[in-house]
Amino acid sequence: MRDDLDQLAFRSLDSLEGAPPWSAQPQGEPPRLLARARRYAPGLIIAGLVALAAQWLSEHYGAPVMLFALLLGMAVNFTGDDPRCRPGLDFAARHVLRIGVALLGMRITLDQVRTLGLETLLLTAAAVLLTILVGWSLARALKLRGPLGVLMGGAVAICGASAALAIAACLPRSETHDRDVVLTVVGVTTLSTVAMVIYPALATLLGLSDVAAGVFFGATIHDVAQVVGAGYSVSPQAGDTATIVKLFRVALLLPAVVIISLIYRSALIEAGARAARPPLVPAFLIAFAVLVAANSTGVVPAAITGPVSDASRWCLVAAISALGAKTALGDLARVGWRPILVLVGATAFIALLVLGSLVALGR
């Protein structure tokens, strides 16, 4: 009896949401905004609670918060099949994600980029471009979908989980879209943690200077936290250099995603992914660029940049939590070895490319 009443209530909310905004609301019915809030609240609350739990575990055990968010999200996968929770989880995985990517712009300034020098900028930009192409090529060679290769190559090339989420928002959706994103995030987070442990020892073995070691870490390790960990485990100078190079890679997220969205724009139109033609540049990327420009002026106080950066991180963690809740562990078990080979291959490529270039330049 209760289930019947719940279904009747949600059908009423759905019909209310579909009504024109100018239509008269029957007396006693909640306004349209309240109906939306009631529809999305259960899923958003679940994503928020999982994000909080993931953050607590990350702070106490030192593992990447994104990985905890995914694992905890998959642990409550049953909520993803609940019609009362699914709308909010979908909202978090799509719209909260885009808000988080847009707010990333508040972490970057143009002055940080200029301090690297032209040689380092060109090396990092070339590594990003070539790694995305290698990801696509490996996927096609292994008879996987091209967009999956672009997703994995972009995540490896730019900034791990954040790049995976941003790129996924501009790719054509498929039946395995959410599963592919989760697999990519799990893979790059794991590989990034392994790199944080191995790369400092490799840099010492090869006799790289502190600056060269910082460039190596910043240009190859996927996630910001692991870049910082690897850099400062060598020296303060290596840590500072690694962080700046990594932030430049994050800045390259904007042109990379714009180009990817333009390449796949026709596919989005043909698939009818949106009612209208998709914009040439997604709105969240415009917001990203505006925030980078604003932060570069130096007039934005730290009292604003700090909270905005924190909000960006929380939005991304909540979005990852929602993706985890929508993904069953069995789905990941069925993907096989080929996508994993794409991730490992792209990771090995960017490491060898940057390391070989630094050695050749005598750094």
Side-chain angles (χ1 to χ4, degrees):
M1 179 68 177
R2 181 178 181 130
D3 291 341
D4 292 339
L5 290 174
D6 288 343
Q7 292 176 8
L8 179 60
F10 277 96
R11 281 199 299 271
S12 299
L13 291 178
D14 290 341
S15 63
L16 180 62
E17 185 182 8
W22 58 84
S23 61
Q25 297 286 349
Q27 187 173 5
E29 289 287 339
R32 188 166 183 255
L33 185 60
L34 180 58
R36 280 180 175 270
R38 290 180 58 186
R39 188 180 184 205
Y40 294 138
L44 289 174
I45 290 172
I46 289 170
L49 290 175
V50 171
L52 286 170
Q55 180 63 34
W56 187 90
L57 289 172
S58 177
E59 291 175 354
H60 285 74
Y61 295 100
V65 64
M66 294 291 189
L67 185 58
F68 276 129
L70 271 177
L71 295 177
L72 292 176
M74 287 189 286
V76 295
N77 170 256
F78 59 90
T79 60
D81 297 325
D82 192 320
R84 293 168 294 187
C85 301
R86 187 68 183 219
L89 292 173
D90 288 339
F91 184 89
R94 184 173 178 85
H95 299 291
V96 175
L97 155 65
R98 295 186 174 203
I99 293 171
V101 173
L103 296 179
L104 276 175
M106 194 55 76
R107 300 172 60 179
I108 304 165
T109 67
L110 297 178
D111 285 338
Q112 292 171 336
V113 173
R114 282 195 291 267
T115 61
L116 295 176
L118 182 60
E119 193 176 76
T120 300
L121 294 178
L122 290 176
L123 172 60
T124 305
V128 167
L129 174 61
L130 293 174
T131 303
I132 295 175
L133 293 176
V134 165
W136 179 85
S137 300
L138 284 174
R140 299 302 297 160
L142 294 170
K143 301 190 184 308
L144 297 171
R145 295 171 53 253
L148 175 60
V150 171
L151 174 66
M152 292 184 166
V156 169
I158 304 174
C159 53
S162 300
L165 296 173
I167 293 170
C170 299
L171 292 175
R173 297 189 69 86
S174 65
E175 293 180 356
T176 62
H177 181 83
D178 289 340
R179 185 196 70 186
D180 292 343
V181 176
V182 170
L183 176 65
T184 301
V185 171
V186 170
V188 296
T189 303
T190 302
L191 290 171
S192 185
T193 303
V194 172
M196 178 183 67
V197 176
I198 295 176
Y199 286 7
L202 183 60
T204 302
L205 181 65
L206 294 174
L208 295 179
S209 67
D210 288 350
V211 172
V215 172
F216 174 48
F217 303 149
T220 58
I221 299 177
H222 312 325
D223 291 327
V224 176
Q226 279 77 7
V227 169
V228 172
Y232 286 105
S233 70
V234 173
S235 71
Q237 186 179 23
D240 292 344
T241 303
T243 302
I244 295 172
V245 173
K246 181 60 182 179
L247 289 177
F248 174 60
R249 283 171 72 196
V250 175
L252 292 177
L253 179 66
L254 175 61
V257 176
V258 168
I259 293 171
I260 291 169
S261 65
L262 291 175
I263 291 173
Y264 287 102
R265 188 167 181 259
S266 59
L268 287 170
I269 296 172
E270 291 174 5
R274 301 178 185 173
R277 293 175 68 87
L280 288 175
V281 181
F284 71 95
L285 291 182
I286 296 175
F288 177 93
V290 169
L291 289 179
V292 171
N295 198 32
S296 299
T297 62
V299 300
V300 182
I304 293 178
T305 58
V308 171
S309 296
D310 290 340
S312 170
R313 182 172 57 83
W314 278 109
C315 285
L316 294 176
V317 174
I320 283 287
S321 302
L323 279 173
K326 294 168 59 180
T327 305
L329 190 59
D331 294 338
L332 296 181
R334 288 191 290 270
V335 299
W337 57 270
R338 290 179 296 173
I340 297 173
L341 185 58
V342 173
L343 278 172
V344 174
T347 299
F349 172 81
I350 193 171
L352 291 173
L353 175 65
V354 173
L355 194 56
S357 299
L358 290 172
V359 172
L361 292 170
R363 302 283 292 273

